[in-house]
Amino acid sequence: MQSRTPASRAPGGRPRSAAADAAILAATREALVDLGWSKLTLGEVAARAGVAKTTLYRRWAGKNELVVDAVAALFDELRLPDRGSLAADIEGVVLEFAAILARPEAKSGLMAVIAESTRDDALRERIRASIVDRQKRLVLEGRARAQTRGELPPEPNPSTATHTTDLIFDVVAGAVVHRTLVSAQPADEQWVRDFTRLLLLGLRGSAEPPP
C-alpha cells in the first residue's frame, strides 16, 4: 500500500503555501517534545502553527501521516559533504546524521512513529517511502562520487547495485540509530572514525554479487 503524500496544490487549484507547511511541521515537532505522542492532536498543532484545523486535514489524513512528514523534513536537511575522500565523506554525513538524531524533536518523532508502525502496515510503508527511500539518495551520491575518484569499483549490474545501496543504508542507519537512540551513547568523532573504518572494509568488496 503506497502512502499518500500531501498534494502540491490546495483544493481549487491554489498553490500550496510552503510557509504554512513549514510552520505546521515545525509545530508538530514542537508539540511532540512538549506533549508526547499520546497527547498530540491536530488541533494542538493547528493552534501552535497559527492555522485552521481544516488546513491540516486538507494536507494530511491524520496524526500518523503528519508526524512522519515532520520527521522526514528533518532528515531531508542531510547533505553529503565533499571532503575529498570516501572515508571523510562518510564521517561527515554520519556526524550530521547523529547530530539530527540528538535533537529532541527527532528523537521524539522517530521513536513514536516506529513504535506505532509495529501495528500499522500503512504507517510502516509511509516511513519507508518518506524517510528510508528518500535518504538512500545519500548512498547513491556517495558511491558515485567514490567510483569517479577510483576509490570504489563500478557496479554495472543494476540488481547488484540496488542490493548494495540497500545494504549500505541499512548498515549505516541501523548502527547510528542504535548507537544514539537505543544505547543512548554519543556518536562522537572517535566512534564515527572507527565505524567508518569498519564500513570501508566491507565496501571494498561490495561489487561482488550476492549469493
Side-chain angles (χ1 to χ4, degrees):
M1 176 176 169
Q2 183 62 39
S3 299
R4 183 184 64 83
T5 55
S8 60
R9 301 185 73 82
R14 299 187 307 277
R16 283 278 297 273
S17 167
D21 285 356
I24 290 166
L25 296 178
T28 301
R29 294 189 293 267
E30 178 186 89
L32 271 170
V33 174
D34 293 346
L35 305 174
W37 174 272
S38 62
K39 294 182 180 179
L40 178 71
T41 65
L42 266 63
E44 174 67 26
V45 171
R48 289 176 182 242
V51 301
K53 189 175 178 180
T54 53
T55 300
L56 270 72
Y57 281 114
R58 283 198 296 267
R59 290 159 162 78
W60 292 276
K63 181 166 76 171
N64 288 357
E65 293 84 358
L66 175 59
V67 173
V68 171
D69 284 1
V71 174
L74 290 176
F75 295 120
D76 283 344
E77 296 174 8
L78 278 169
R79 296 293 181 270
L80 183 70
D82 188 347
R83 293 180 162 191
S85 72
L86 176 58
D89 290 355
I90 293 172
E91 289 176 11
V93 75
V94 169
L95 285 168
E96 286 185 25
F97 182 35
I100 288 176
L101 288 175
R103 292 162 62 173
E105 63 269 32
K107 290 181 183 178
S108 300
L110 188 61
M111 296 293 272
V113 295
I114 289 175
E116 287 297 310
S117 72
T118 61
R119 51 183 177 269
D120 186 334
D121 290 343
L123 177 58
R124 186 160 54 248
E125 176 58 29
R126 189 178 184 90
I127 292 169
R128 182 183 299 115
S130 298
I131 299 177
V132 176
D133 288 347
R134 285 219 301 252
Q135 298 315 314
K136 286 180 182 177
R137 63 185 169 81
L138 299 168
V139 177
L140 294 170
E141 182 183 349
R143 193 174 54 183
R145 185 186 294 167
Q147 288 170 342
T148 299
R149 291 176 181 147
E151 296 174 292
L152 289 178
E155 290 183 89
N157 185 323
S159 177
T160 300
T162 298
H163 173 83
T164 302
T165 297
D166 292 344
L167 190 57
I168 294 170
F169 183 87
D170 289 346
V171 169
V172 174
V176 181
V177 168
H178 189 280
R179 175 74 177 179
T180 57
L181 300 187
V182 180
S183 297
Q185 296 295 315
D188 55 23
E189 291 189 4
Q190 184 59 56
W191 183 89
V192 171
R193 279 195 297 269
D194 293 342
F195 169 72
T196 300
R197 188 179 305 113
L198 183 64
L199 178 65
L200 287 174
L201 291 175
L203 280 175
R204 301 303 181 189
S206 64
E208 294 297 323

